[in-house]
């Protein structure tokens, strides 16, 4: 398996634009997590899914953020409209049950 | 919600000195995991502790899980330059929607040769 795959690796967008981040988890994993990492706030859990169902989205900062997992092999995190304070590295991770989480390489988002 | 606190935020050591980072949770954890993130990289799993009072070793790294399953520590003996990075603890709650993996803010280990 190629591991957790995220795209794009880098995204630069203008304030107000829609941004979509993508994630392909490891095959067979039943948990998928979205994290945001900044120097100030560290690694924040935004939302996680279990068997494609969103379990806890209390970490999603605002209604501008939304996440979907239409099937076991794909998830998206969308920001609409984007703002400069959304600039961060966004990680997707997956795990099988409560075993170790495998992280993707991350998407570095810059909103100007 | 579940909170995981980690100290110190930064630790400067001379190469060869020991290093310890501490993790505390506001709630009892089902298990705790430790990750390492190199600069510019992504978190990579090191170990998982499940049992109360558990101690595990990986070469120069020693991991402990507290008796009450609310705190944990990572100790590195005789640090090397390859140990540079940020060490995170991550806890999972006891289910019922609380089993998301919550990370501490991490301890940045800086090693001076």
């Amino acid at each position: 398996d190629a591991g957790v795959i995220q795209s794009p690796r880098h995204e630069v967008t203008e304030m107000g634009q829609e941004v979509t981040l993508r994630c392909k988890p490891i095959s067979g994993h039943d948990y998928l997590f979205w994290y945001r990492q900044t120097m100030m706030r560290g690694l924040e859990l935004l939302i996680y899914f279990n068997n494609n169902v969103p379990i806890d989205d209390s970490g999603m900062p605002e209604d501008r953020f939304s996440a979907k997992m239409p099937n076991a092999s794909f998830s998206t995190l969308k920001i609409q409209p984007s703002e400069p304070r959304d600039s961060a590295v966004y990680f997707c991770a997956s795990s099988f049950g409560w075993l170790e989480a495998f992280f993707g390489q991350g998407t570095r988002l810059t909103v100007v | 919600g579940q909170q995981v606190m980690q100290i110190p935020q930064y630790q400067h050591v001379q190469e060869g000195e020991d290093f310890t980072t501490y993790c505390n949770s506001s709630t009892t954890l089902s298990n705790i995991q430790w990750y390492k993130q190199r600069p510019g990289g992504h978190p990579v799993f090191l170990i998982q502790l499940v049992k109360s009072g558990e101690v595990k070793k990986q070469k120069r790294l020693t991991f402990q899980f507290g008796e009450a399953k609310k705190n944990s520590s990572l100790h590195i003996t005789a640090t090397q330059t390859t140990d540079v990075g940020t060490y995170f603890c991550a806890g999972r709650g006891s289910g019922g929607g609380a089993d998301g993996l919550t990370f501490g803010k991490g301890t940045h280990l800086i090693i001076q040769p």
Side-chain angles (χ1 to χ4, degrees), chain A residues 23-32 51-52 69-75 94:
Chain A
C23 175
K24 175 178 167 52
I26 291 174
S27 176
H29 283 189
D30 55 349
Y31 279 86
L32 184 139
N51 292 320
N52 313 338
M69 192 165 185
N71 57 63
S73 59
F74 184 65
S75 178
S94 70

Side-chain angles (χ1 to χ4, degrees), chain B residues 43-110:
Chain B
V44 175
F45 175 83
L46 293 176
I47 206 161
Q48 175 169 284
L49 304 170
V50 178
K51 299 177 183 176
S52 170
E54 189 170 12
V55 177
K56 286 189 176 180
K57 292 191 176 184
Q58 285 180 351
K59 298 182 180 178
R60 295 178 294 106
L61 278 61
T62 302
F63 304 84
Q64 293 188 323
F65 200 10
E67 294 289 341
K69 301 184 75 172
K70 295 181 73 172
N71 57 67
S72 182
S73 65
L74 158 60
H75 179 82
I76 302 178
T77 303
T79 55
Q80 301 174 357
T81 54
T82 52
D83 296 327
V84 164
T86 303
Y87 292 85
F88 294 94
C89 61
R92 298 186 91 145
S94 303
D99 56 352
L101 193 57
T102 301
F103 280 74
K105 286 199 171 181
T107 296
H108 300 263
L109 174 59
I110 298 121

